[in-house]
Amino acid sequence: MIVEVKCKMENVTFSTLRYCEEERRINLNAIVCMMTIFYLFISSSSFAQKHPKMNDKQIVIYQLLPRLFGNKNTTNIPYGTIEQNGSGKFNDITDKALDGIKALHVNYVWYTGAIAHASLTDYSAYGIKVDDADVVKGRAGSPYAIRDYYDVDPDLAVDVKNRMKEFEALVKRTHAKNLKVIIDFVPNHVARSYHSYVKPNGVTDFGAQDDVTKAFSTKNDYYYIPGQALTVPTNGQKTPLSALQDGKFVENPAKATGNNVFSARPKYDDWYETIKLNYGVDYQNGEKTYFDPIPPVWLKMRDILIYWTRKGVDGFRCDMAEMVPIAFWNWVIPQVKTVNPDLIFLGEAYNPKVYQQYLEEGKFDYLYDKVGLYDGLKKLIRNEPTADVAAIKHVWQVESAGFGKHMLRFLENHDEERIASAGFAGKAELALPAMVVSATLGAGPVMLYFGQEVGEPGKGQEGFGGDDNRTTIFDYWGVPDHQKWMNGGLFDGGKLSPSQQNLRAYYQQLIKVTSTSDAVVNGEIYEVPLTGNMNNRMYAFIRYSGKQRLLIVANFDRTETLTANIEIPDQILKVKNSSPVTELLTDKKLNIPAGTSIPVNLAPVSAQVIEF
């Protein structure tokens, strides 16, 4: 009987299931039953066995934009075209590049902006309609205004006709280095120009079957403002793109804008380049929900996730996860994991009040720890008057108590200011104590953003991104300090200054220590009470397991040396035999006699990880 079911399941596509649901209204319980059987089959398959979970290591993610990462062009004309400023390609992420990434003890690479999104570069020769400058941010466009969920960005291909093959080759190269692949999943909105030119047979585009006379319908993919045409906003400033922005983009009736703006006249600071997707929530009538029968968008999104999973993708960073109903995540994540049980779903989330709900009910593996640890650490790095290490304590003792291992910690990503920028810290080394805390406070993933490890400052006005202390995601650009490490494609750091080489070495050693640490991955946490001259810019805690004990001490104070004799509680001393006391970031034996306390003398803006 099981063999018979397997054979049947092999001939049932997810598109077939979708049409059954839409046209014949198959009972959802029947689908779940079928998926369960499919899960049992896949779990026992060689595919599942080839993707073991990393139970013994901390997940370490390296985020990069292929458009920027491999770009060797240094012209950097504000608002420059792809011909002027260049673009990195999938093929630029070579074996040498991956070796350089892996040297940081990374095990996942997040390829940001891989999926096709709206841009002003003309690919009409390849059957792709040119986007309208009125609804594209920047010349290269936002990676989060998806134009085709079934395609990759043609900017990233050497041979545009074979762009998907080049992406698939990158996935294969990445896997060959024992690294896993994450891409973005943008479920809340699409580009105003959305149209799939390469969708599989049987797939229907978003909105193709909508009743545009209705503001909301359970059968519609979009929300509408009937009787009104879209008015595209402007900020009144002249740029090199102004000549292309004639205000004549036609959308009638207007569709609701991605950041829940149900108006035909979105503002310039709205996500005006995107359309909000309809997950069965009537926002204009008390947010009443209609989840039975399953909304069409749910089915389309499930198929999209499965499509990319079958391409070898190992995880999805889910954009603005809280803007999509939690019921959808509860429904879709288990189904997609029937294809690969080891997939990880990482949610961009900013509301601590619902973290636990999105993990438990929503089935996410990990969530951003932005509102909490990142925000608290940023104040400490910047030496702000209100900075206090109490924020660190609050994160693990209150905000994410009981589920800290599911929180992703980071100090940079594409949305945040570069640490070395003038608007953040001005100097990358000022963040090292915070990076130590980020990497050791919990067992959850830690993330690096390309260029962070060499102090990239995100300086300059690139175009739409402006001079905002960030590396632009909207423009064609070369990333200067990252390019020093790239060294013309050698990826050997040959053009880095000595201080940049030291910074990268620090990151490399830190992640080497923490990613393989049993105390970090599997251990408990104990907060060291105030002792010695510790103040509200100094913090110490112990991570310990039956195999390892670590004392982590971080001094954020700009002027004071932390001097203390830290007492180790008996219950921690008893969990394992004593080891030679070693500071792991420098691999130096401290020549401290075995005992119940560890003396610490820690310079301003520094940290130690002491094994004892």
Side-chain angles (χ1 to χ4, degrees):
M1 179 61 184
I2 293 177
V3 173
E4 179 182 341
V5 172
K6 285 181 184 177
C7 294
K8 288 180 179 179
M9 287 304 299
E10 286 173 354
N11 293 318
V12 176
T13 67
F14 286 92
S15 294
T16 303
L17 288 178
R18 181 183 63 252
Y19 285 118
C20 288
E21 289 164 326
E22 290 178 346
E23 297 176 13
R24 302 178 187 175
R25 303 298 184 193
I26 282 183
N27 186 288
L28 179 60
N29 290 333
I31 296 168
V32 172
C33 179
M34 294 169 74
M35 299 299 290
T36 301
I37 295 169
F38 189 46
Y39 173 82
L40 293 174
F41 167 62
I42 290 293
S43 296
S44 62
S45 72
S46 60
F47 183 91
Q49 293 168 8
K50 290 177 183 176
H51 292 74
K53 293 185 178 180
M54 294 185 175
N55 293 324
D56 59 334
K57 289 186 178 181
Q58 184 181 42
I59 287 176
V60 182
I61 300 169
Y62 189 87
Q63 182 194 6
L64 64 88
L65 279 76
R67 181 205 296 162
L68 303 177
F69 181 85
N71 187 16
K72 304 177 188 69
N73 191 312
T74 59
T75 307
N76 284 358
I77 298 171
Y79 288 99
T81 65
I82 193 170
E83 291 80 13
Q84 291 170 322
N85 286 352
S87 174
K89 309 294 183 183
F90 292 132
N91 288 359
D92 290 325
I93 307 170
T94 61
D95 285 335
K96 286 185 178 180
L98 292 168
D99 286 338
I101 292 170
K102 193 171 181 181
L104 293 167
H105 302 279
V106 165
N107 39 47
Y108 279 79
V109 185
W110 168 13
Y111 294 120
T112 303
I115 297 180
H117 55 270
S119 83
L120 299 185
T121 301
D122 186 354
Y123 289 102
S124 56
Y126 302 93
I128 301 169
K129 185 178 178 181
V130 179
D131 286 299
D132 193 306
D134 289 322
V135 288
V136 176
K137 289 183 176 177
R139 199 179 287 275
S142 168
Y144 296 96
I146 301 297
R147 178 187 48 74
D148 186 348
Y149 273 115
Y150 286 99
D151 201 0
V152 292
D153 183 4
D155 284 345
L156 306 179
V158 174
D159 180 358
V160 175
K161 290 183 294 185
N162 290 311
R163 57 192 179 276
M164 186 60 77
K165 290 183 179 178
E166 291 185 22
F167 172 76
E168 291 168 345
L170 172 60
V171 172
K172 187 175 180 180
R173 271 197 311 282
T174 308
H175 286 163
K177 295 295 182 180
N178 201 27
L179 296 165
K180 296 194 174 189
V181 172
I182 294 174
I183 65 170
D184 292 282
F185 174 55
V186 189
N188 177 67
H189 50 268
V190 294
R192 293 212 179 260
S193 61
Y194 187 88
H195 176 74
S196 178
Y197 296 95
V198 297
K199 57 184 177 290
N201 292 334
V203 171
T204 303
D205 266 348
F206 291 102
Q209 299 175 340
D210 281 7
D211 182 348
V212 301
T213 66
K214 296 180 178 179
F216 169 80
S217 168
T218 58
K219 297 179 181 180
N220 282 356
D221 294 331
Y222 299 136
Y223 299 91
Y224 295 88
I225 298 90
Q228 298 182 55
L230 177 72
T231 300
V232 179
T234 64
N235 67 351
Q237 296 180 1
K238 291 290 183 180
T239 75
L241 300 184
S242 296
L244 303 174
Q245 297 167 334
D246 57 12
K248 295 181 180 179
F249 176 76
V250 178
E251 183 179 284
N252 193 4
K255 303 178 181 75
T257 295
N259 58 322
N260 292 4
V261 174
F262 296 86
S263 166
R265 303 178 70 91
K267 297 177 182 178
Y268 190 76
D269 57 358
D270 288 323
W271 306 346
Y272 64 83
E273 80 280 23
T274 67
I275 307 166
K276 175 76 175 181
L277 287 168
N278 173 11
Y279 281 80
V281 181
D282 189 352
Y283 287 95
Q284 294 178 288
N285 288 288
E287 298 191 16
K288 188 174 180 181
T289 59
Y290 299 86
F291 299 156
D292 186 12
I294 298 298
V297 165
W298 290 30
L299 302 166
K300 290 181 171 74
M301 286 302 190
R302 179 197 59 192
D303 288 356
I304 287 163
L305 285 165
I306 289 172
Y307 172 85
W308 290 105
T309 300
R310 287 175 170 164
K311 294 283 185 189
V313 169
D314 304 292
F316 297 94
R317 179 269 188 187
C318 301
D319 187 69
M320 300 306 296
E322 294 164 309
M323 295 186 76
V324 172
I326 197 168
F328 166 73
W329 298 116
N330 174 274
W331 176 84
V332 78
I333 289 176
Q335 292 198 51
V336 181
K337 286 193 175 185
T338 62
V339 180
N340 177 4
D342 290 339
L343 276 175
I344 64 169
F345 280 81
L346 169 61
E348 180 190 15
Y350 299 109
N351 182 3
K353 293 180 180 178
V354 296
Y355 284 170
Q356 190 161 5
Q357 185 182 12
Y358 270 77
L359 290 168
E360 294 179 359
E361 186 182 340
K363 308 296 184 182
F364 275 94
D365 298 292
Y366 307 104
L367 298 176
Y368 271 35
D369 197 345
K370 196 299 188 169
V371 180
L373 189 63
Y374 171 88
D375 286 349
L377 290 175
K378 185 172 184 178
K379 290 180 179 180
L380 287 161
I381 295 166
R382 287 167 49 85
N383 198 32
E384 295 181 11
T386 59
D388 196 313
V389 295
I392 302 171
K393 176 179 179 179
H394 179 76
V395 164
W396 71 268
Q397 293 190 6
V398 179
E399 192 172 271
S400 57
F403 55 87
K405 65 182 179 180
H406 295 286
M407 303 305 293
L408 166 73
R409 273 70 192 250
F410 58 86
L411 294 182
E412 283 192 1
N413 64 39
H414 67 280
D415 285 320
E416 308 301 339
E417 294 177 306
R418 289 286 194 177
I419 295 164
S421 69
F424 190 157
K427 186 179 179 182
E429 287 77 8
L430 292 173
L432 293 180
M435 194 64 220
V436 171
V437 171
S438 295
T440 57
L441 191 66
V446 62
M447 184 168 74
L448 304 177
Y449 185 42
F450 83 107
Q452 176 183 348
E453 72 278 16
V454 297
E456 171 59 46
K459 186 178 181 180
Q461 185 168 337
E462 309 101 333
F464 186 89
D467 194 0
D468 62 354
N469 305 310
R470 296 166 175 83
T471 295
T472 180
I473 64 170
F474 305 102
D475 307 283
Y476 298 111
W477 201 252
V479 184
D481 285 81
H482 164 69
Q483 287 177 328
K484 294 176 184 177
W485 174 70
M486 186 166 53
N487 194 17
L490 295 177
F491 297 97
D492 61 359
K495 295 182 180 179
L496 294 175
S497 68
S499 63
Q500 288 177 313
Q501 291 173 345
N502 290 338
L503 180 66
R504 194 175 197 275
Y506 188 100
Y507 273 95
Q508 187 171 340
Q509 180 65 12
L510 171 63
I511 302 303
K512 175 185 178 182
V513 168
T514 61
S515 65
T516 57
S517 164
D518 190 72
V520 171
V521 176
N522 300 309
E524 303 295 329
I525 184 169
Y526 164 83
E527 183 180 63
V528 173
L530 288 176
T531 183
N533 71 333
M534 289 175 68
N535 60 34
N536 68 348
R537 306 298 171 97
M538 303 169 179
Y539 197 66
F541 57 97
I542 296 172
R543 298 299 311 275
Y544 64 100
S545 68
K547 297 180 180 179
Q548 188 181 42
R549 297 182 303 221
L550 299 178
L551 168 64
I552 295 98
V553 189
N555 183 6
F556 296 93
D557 199 296
R558 294 285 182 94
T559 58
E560 295 292 322
T561 295
L562 190 165
T563 304
N565 201 51
I566 296 178
E567 298 290 333
I568 310 300
D570 287 343
Q571 68 267 26
I572 294 176
L573 289 171
K574 291 177 181 177
V575 297
K576 69 177 290 294
N577 295 328
S578 295
S579 303
V581 182
T582 306
E583 202 292 300
L584 297 180
L585 299 182
T586 55
D587 204 27
K588 290 182 179 179
K589 300 292 188 293
L590 299 186
N591 296 319
I592 297 171
T596 61
S597 66
I598 298 176
V600 172
N601 194 291
L602 188 60
V605 195
S606 62
Q608 290 185 326
V609 178
I610 300 171
E611 185 174 31
F612 63 97

